[in-house]
Amino acid sequence: MNPFFVVWGIALSCMAAAILLRHEIGDLLTVSPERIQAEIQLDNRCKLQERSFVVRDIDTGSYAFFRQGVAKLRTVERNRLRIEFAPRYAATGAELSLPSYPAKQEMTLSAYCYSRGNWLKNLFNSH
């Protein structure tokens, strides 16, 4: 096997790993995370109103509601934040499968809802 291709393959693998693990690498390099109030903009790509969502700090469990497309959440830098359905809809059993991102002072998170058939039907009815 040509050594050039071996080196090229190793370099591409390292670049791919760095891209996929960039948040985890940042967590390791951050010396002392500070307490912040994160201001999270909602990029709502769903057919649901913003009151259907919260942003949750996965590390602490605390969450904040969106008002006029913005949520403010006291957290620690680099704690993982994720958009979820609001707690009042927990009884429906519906879950979003969205990635989490490290907390920053200002950030934008997107809510994507893909539907197969009519999965939203009866989702938010009272039980």
Side-chain angles (χ1 to χ4, degrees), residues 37-44 50-51 53-55 63-73 83 105-109:
Q37 178 164 316
E39 186 172 297
I40 302 100
Q41 300 281 331
L42 175 63
D43 178 17
N44 189 355
E50 71 178 26
R51 69 178 184 206
F53 304 106
V54 296
V55 61
Y63 61 89
F65 289 94
F66 289 95
R67 287 177 178 71
Q68 297 179 345
V70 177
K72 294 182 180 180
L73 180 66
I83 293 178
Q105 285 284 153
E106 296 181 6
M107 57 191 302
T108 300
L109 295 178

Side-chain angles (χ1 to χ4, degrees), residues 68-86:
Q68 297 179 345
V70 177
K72 294 182 180 180
L73 180 66
R74 291 198 178 278
T75 185
V76 176
E77 276 183 320
R78 313 252 352 128
N79 274 11
R80 307 298 283 194
L81 304 182
R82 175 177 61 203
I83 293 178
E84 297 181 354
F85 281 129

